Amino acid sequence: MQPVQSTQQPVQQQSAQLAGQFAQRFQLLATNIERIIRGKHEAIELALTCLFAEGHLLIEDVPGTGKTTLARSVAASVDAEWRRIQFTPDLLPSDITGVSIFNQAHQKFEFHHGPVFANIVLADEINRASPKTQAALLEVMEERRVTVDAEPHPVPRPFLVVATQNPVDMDGTYPLPEAQLDRFLMKISVGYPDHVSEVEVLKGMPTGPQVERLPVVARASDVAGMIDFASRIHVADQVYDYIVAVCGATRTSPHLRLGASPRGSLALLRAARVKAAAAGRHYVVPEDVKALAVPVLGHRLIRTPEAELRDVTAEAVLGEILAGMPVPQAA
């Protein structure tokens, strides 16, 4: 048994060292973005968690709270290709995915890539486009490819869609259907800054840091390597059971008409792995799962009519489930 222990020890040490490097780069990115987005450390960390978990992020908040600025700051901090799509009622699916155009010189159709073929895609005010246009993102968000004229076209890696929407202006908007909401790894809100942070923003304008001048602190290849490492973070059987138990409890809750699907369980697992690596650990603990349950699962739950009438939120239901769920102890 001694040789087995001696071979396992260096592997664990190497994993711990790599986790420490991951945490350093993660915090370097977060600190860089905080030069623009003041006092919103949690929202920034969740956005970066989506990036390294190869998920997508939906930011819903009132106007002027920095939704678009957060997405642009993430893109500016990484030396990767990014595109911004302003969603409007007259936007067509081909305006997002691209279109095949006939080349008279070669006498054949050639595919011209749309703005979705980038590492980071900012879908600004996504609920202003028609459902048909919104659906153009379904395939690429899930399978990371676009099929046009029966030909698949893969998007580059890493690939992150950051969508924003305004919940207060409902005229001329089309709410995202549940099937598309389920494609987003997380749904978060930035919220208003605290008093001190808002004063700093006022003092820094117009000479303060700007997104265009934000230094690049990571390459696309660095991000791809961090994604691969996060996918290999160790998860104990007790943590697997805990994730499934939490998601299973949403399916039997009397306040919910529809609970989290297995896609939600997988999303929670991927996000928990990134959170563990960002904390410098090479293993996931139940606290990682608890901390991410609301942003990962909240938008996937559909409340019953009775719960809506009583104003019982999905977040409150998840809080009740987490409070009553036994937390597994380390073996």
Side-chain angles (χ1 to χ4, degrees):
M1 296 299 292
Q2 187 63 30
V4 176
Q5 292 177 355
S6 61
T7 56
Q8 286 180 345
Q9 191 71 16
V11 172
Q12 292 181 354
Q13 290 177 352
Q14 183 182 17
S15 298
Q17 183 179 3
L18 291 174
Q21 295 175 359
F22 185 105
Q24 289 178 355
R25 285 189 173 178
F26 188 96
Q27 290 306 319
L28 183 63
L29 278 165
T31 302
N32 196 53
I33 297 171
E34 280 188 294
R35 298 174 61 185
I36 303 294
I37 307 293
R38 303 293 182 88
K40 295 298 173 185
H41 187 74
E42 183 179 359
I44 292 171
E45 287 198 341
L46 289 175
L48 291 175
T49 299
C50 277
L51 174 63
F52 295 119
E54 286 197 295
H56 306 290
L57 178 65
L58 177 61
I59 309 175
E60 181 181 83
D61 216 327
V62 296
T65 52
K67 301 185 297 295
T68 303
T69 305
L70 173 58
R72 291 180 60 200
S73 299
V74 173
S77 299
V78 180
D79 185 18
E81 187 176 5
W82 78 282
R83 293 287 184 272
R84 179 180 182 273
I85 308 172
Q86 180 62 55
F87 278 66
T88 57
D90 60 346
L91 192 72
L92 299 175
S94 58
D95 295 330
I96 299 174
T97 59
V99 64
S100 293
I101 299 177
F102 186 73
N103 188 322
Q104 292 185 346
H106 298 88
Q107 291 295 300
K108 65 177 183 179
F109 282 93
E110 294 181 351
F111 180 67
H112 289 247
H113 294 77
V116 78
F117 286 88
N119 297 112
I120 300 176
V121 179
L122 170 56
D124 214 0
E125 296 186 293
I126 190 172
N127 56 336
R128 290 198 174 278
S130 67
K132 181 178 180 180
T133 303
Q134 293 173 358
L137 287 171
L138 285 174
E139 179 189 15
V140 68
M141 289 175 67
E142 183 67 19
E143 301 179 22
R144 287 170 170 75
R145 68 178 185 181
V146 172
T147 302
V148 177
D149 297 333
E151 287 291 328
H153 303 274
V155 295
R157 189 180 186 226
F159 178 67
L160 169 69
V161 173
V162 181
T164 69
Q165 65 179 12
N166 179 359
V168 297
D169 186 8
M170 301 308 295
D171 291 338
T173 62
Y174 304 86
L176 289 174
E178 286 77 7
Q180 189 158 355
L181 282 174
D182 200 39
R183 294 295 201 278
F184 288 96
L185 182 75
M186 293 186 197
K187 178 182 175 183
I188 68 171
S189 63
V190 179
Y192 292 113
D194 56 48
H195 181 85
V196 175
S197 298
E198 192 164 358
V199 169
E200 290 180 357
V201 171
L202 296 179
K203 287 182 177 180
M205 294 297 291
T207 59
Q210 299 177 0
V211 177
E212 294 79 9
R213 301 175 184 173
L214 207 59
V216 173
V217 295
R219 297 169 299 178
S221 58
D222 297 331
V223 174
M226 293 173 73
I227 289 172
D228 289 336
F229 173 74
S231 67
R232 300 193 302 269
I233 292 292
H234 175 71
V235 181
D237 290 342
Q238 300 96 319
V239 178
Y240 282 121
D241 291 337
Y242 184 59
I243 292 174
V244 173
V246 170
C247 292
T250 65
R251 301 165 194 164
T252 58
S253 171
H255 303 295
L256 300 175
R257 182 161 52 91
L258 184 67
S261 67
R263 180 186 286 153
S265 304
L266 290 169
L268 190 53
L269 173 64
R270 284 158 46 201
R273 278 181 157 141
V274 174
K275 185 169 181 61
R281 283 183 276 102
H282 60 281
Y283 54 90
V284 177
V285 296
E287 284 70 22
D288 297 328
V289 178
K290 291 184 68 174
L292 293 168
V294 171
V296 173
L297 300 179
H299 62 287
R300 306 172 192 269
L301 310 179
I302 301 179
R303 296 173 294 167
T304 62
E306 294 80 6
E308 292 181 1
L309 286 173
R310 293 166 50 197
D311 200 24
V312 178
T313 64
E315 291 77 10
V317 175
L318 280 170
E320 183 180 332
I321 290 173
L322 291 171
M325 184 75 61
V327 178
Q329 301 299 319

